[in-house]
Amino acid sequence: MTEKPGSFVKSYGCQMNVYDSGRIGDLLGEAGFAARSELDQADIIVLNTCHIREKASEKIYSELGLIRQMKEERAREGRNLVVGVAGCLAQAEGEEILRRAGAVDFVIGPQSYHRLPQVLDDVRKGARPFVGEFDTQEKFDELARRAPRRRGDATAFVTVQEGCDKFCSFCVVPYTRGPETSRPVAEIIAEVEQLAAQGVREITLIGQNVNAYVFADGATRWTLARLFERLSEMKDIVRLRYTTSHPLDMGDDLIEAHRDLPKLAPYLHLPVQSGSDRILRAMNRRHDAKLYRDLIARIRTARPDIALSSDFIVGFPGETDEDFEATMALVRDIGFASAFSFKYSMRPGTPGAERADQVAEDVKKARLAALQGLLEEQRVAFNQACIGRTFDVLFEKPGRHAGQIIGKSPYLQSVNVDAPATLIGQMRRVVIERPGSNSLFGRIHQAEKAA
Ligand code: SAH
Ligand code: SF4
Ligand code: F3S
């Protein structure tokens, strides 16, 4: 028996891409390719790309340069290597990729990769297709026809919503992912049931604006909160999470879900981008800093131990020292357990890129360093405050050292514990003993050992 040809899918960017990369791998599996862990063992390579900042796009063109060399070496040995580009860069620069990168055989956008079988056929016939339609509903239906492949993980992402109608003036996502589309509730429930049957215990519902989820099923209007209520009833699912949310879609029922559903993790990633009303307006975020502060106050009333996370952009065009100081003040006032922060990056085709008042690179750099310094202080303080507390930890994988396993706390911290690998895939009470640089160390609670 000859060995199956190999596939390698490389994921860049956000969780949506991580999920999509898994499903692209499933489709390649059906087409006869076996997943490989190394690039050079693959007969087909798909780069699932990101376009969010300039750096993300540059990285992919340089990766394509290396792949071209690989492909030329293979050709000299008389072997073929098929190269595909998927994801948001594919959507934004499809034609240009085909022109610039001769090694690329096909380009497929993030809302049409369910057409991969057809595309592979076309490539076999010698074509170099670019498929870039926004077929989000069709993509959902197509994905629902196949069960996600067994991966043996304790946690899984499930896409419930894709696309964005918000058009923040810095962001490419509405152009690369198309309009907001919610997935039918029956498909989501079926997928979670399949995952639970495979041993998955924690589900993270994902979407570009996941809390904008809305689906009408007869007379029933499904929101994200109602979906969590339904998924909470599954006994094999012990923890639920979601990301990424928009402040304007933070409905009352979702805030109440944090109060009422024990399985919903006390963790919220809610990007604010800036603490300055002037900049928020220029960013077209459609809310001010007060709305964000009030929301956080209400969420903390509903679930006092909630850990908060956010995204920030420094150096948006026109941002003054005073605007930046407003962001620092907001961070100081609210206090975040973790956060992502970025220097503003000009993206072609977005309104922000047209502005004449771009902020100088060295100013952006200094502001980012100051903001990240403050956020890091808060992260360390949050972890420090966890020492001595007892958390439910869902174990996911072996640790770096023998005899150690790693899991996640409710607050999304990695926790290292000396415990048998048989606990991977299970949740245990863990006493937190000390902080590491990027994680925590703990021990299984005595009462659980006896049990
Ligand atoms: N839908 C989410 C986030 C999507 S992109 C939301 O609305 O918050 C993830 C993060 O990348 C954004 O929150 C933003 O902080 C950052 N980002 C997006 N475009 C950017 C740009 N042009 N420059 C720098 N950071 C950017
Ligand atoms: Fe981008 Fe704004 Fe949409 Fe988030 S809400 S994906 S930042 S346009
Ligand atoms: Fe990047 Fe597209 Fe996600 S631009 S962040 S991969 S939605």
Side-chain angles (χ1 to χ4, degrees), residues 379-391:
R379 187 185 70 85
V380 170
F382 180 79
N383 284 348
Q384 195 63 43
C386 292
I387 309 305
R389 293 180 62 192
T390 303
F391 293 154

Side-chain angles (χ1 to χ4, degrees), residues 14 17 49-52 88 173 177 208:
C14 63
N17 266 14
T49 63
C50 175
H51 193 50
I52 201 82
C88 289
V173 171
R177 294 273 175 168
Q208 263 91 31

Side-chain angles (χ1 to χ4, degrees), residues 52-53 170-171 208-209 244-246 271 273 285 311-313 342-345 347:
I52 201 82
R53 284 169 290 276
F170 51 81
C171 185
Q208 263 91 31
N209 282 300
T244 295
S245 297
H246 193 287
Q273 317 296 357
R285 289 291 289 183
D311 291 346
F312 298 91
I313 295 177
F342 313 97
K343 283 184 288 187
Y344 169 70
S345 170
R347 305 313 290 129

Side-chain angles (χ1 to χ4, degrees), residues 41 69 91 130 139 181 197 211 238 257 305 325 354 384 386 393 447:
Q41 295 166 352
Q69 290 174 10
Q91 188 68 43
F130 167 44
K139 167 179 167 181
T181 311
N211 56 347
V238 298
D305 72 332
E325 203 29 65
E354 322 253 288
Q384 195 63 43
C386 292
V393 172

Side-chain angles (χ1 to χ4, degrees), residues 60-257:
I60 287 144
Y61 280 108
S62 76
E63 182 85 37
L64 282 172
L66 296 175
I67 290 172
R68 190 192 51 170
Q69 290 174 10
M70 246 173 85
K71 190 163 169 151
E72 285 165 359
E73 275 167 36
R74 295 271 185 102
R76 281 194 288 275
E77 298 166 9
R79 286 165 61 209
N80 193 21
L81 174 65
V82 177
V83 180
V85 179
C88 289
L89 178 70
Q91 188 68 43
E93 295 182 3
E95 300 292 350
E96 199 186 332
I97 294 170
L98 288 173
R99 213 171 26 244
R100 257 177 81 176
V104 173
D105 297 291
F106 65 90
V107 175
I108 196 161
Q111 307 315 110
S112 40
Y113 70 72
H114 53 283
R115 299 182 182 209
L116 206 49
Q118 179 61 49
V119 165
L120 291 178
D121 265 356
D122 294 346
V123 170
R124 256 176 238 122
K125 290 178 195 145
R128 290 180 83 212
F130 167 44
V131 185
E133 282 83 32
F134 289 141
D135 288 338
T136 310
Q137 204 56 60
E138 204 178 298
K139 167 179 167 181
F140 288 153
D141 295 344
E142 211 35 63
L143 293 181
R145 269 188 227 137
R146 7 179 102 78
R149 190 161 38 95
R150 196 177 270 274
R151 292 189 183 82
D153 295 335
T155 65
F157 292 135
V158 172
T159 293
V160 301
Q161 179 278 342
E162 287 203 50
C164 182
D165 298 336
K166 302 276 192 298
F167 291 91
C168 301
S169 58
F170 51 81
C171 185
V172 294
V173 171
Y175 312 96
T176 63
R177 294 273 175 168
E180 280 177 14
T181 311
S182 291
R183 199 172 169 192
V185 71
E187 289 180 13
I188 297 166
I189 293 170
E191 187 165 326
V192 174
E193 278 169 351
Q194 286 160 354
L195 290 164
Q198 293 175 16
V200 170
R201 296 292 167 259
E202 175 185 296
I203 297 288
T204 303
L205 300 184
I206 58 173
Q208 263 91 31
N209 282 300
V210 70
N211 56 347
Y213 181 84
V214 60
F215 185 77
D217 186 13
T220 312
R221 184 175 174 273
W222 286 83
T223 58
L224 193 66
R226 190 182 276 253
L227 204 48
F228 280 132
E229 222 175 285
R230 173 66 182 78
L231 299 181
S232 279
E233 291 165 10
M234 295 185 193
K235 75 168 189 348
D236 287 336
I237 298 300
V238 298
R239 192 143 69 194
L240 295 163
R241 302 183 184 275
Y242 61 108
T243 201
T244 295
S245 297
H246 193 287
L248 285 183
D249 294 315
M250 207 65 214
D252 292 346
D253 61 345
L254 188 54
I255 296 176
E256 284 157 18

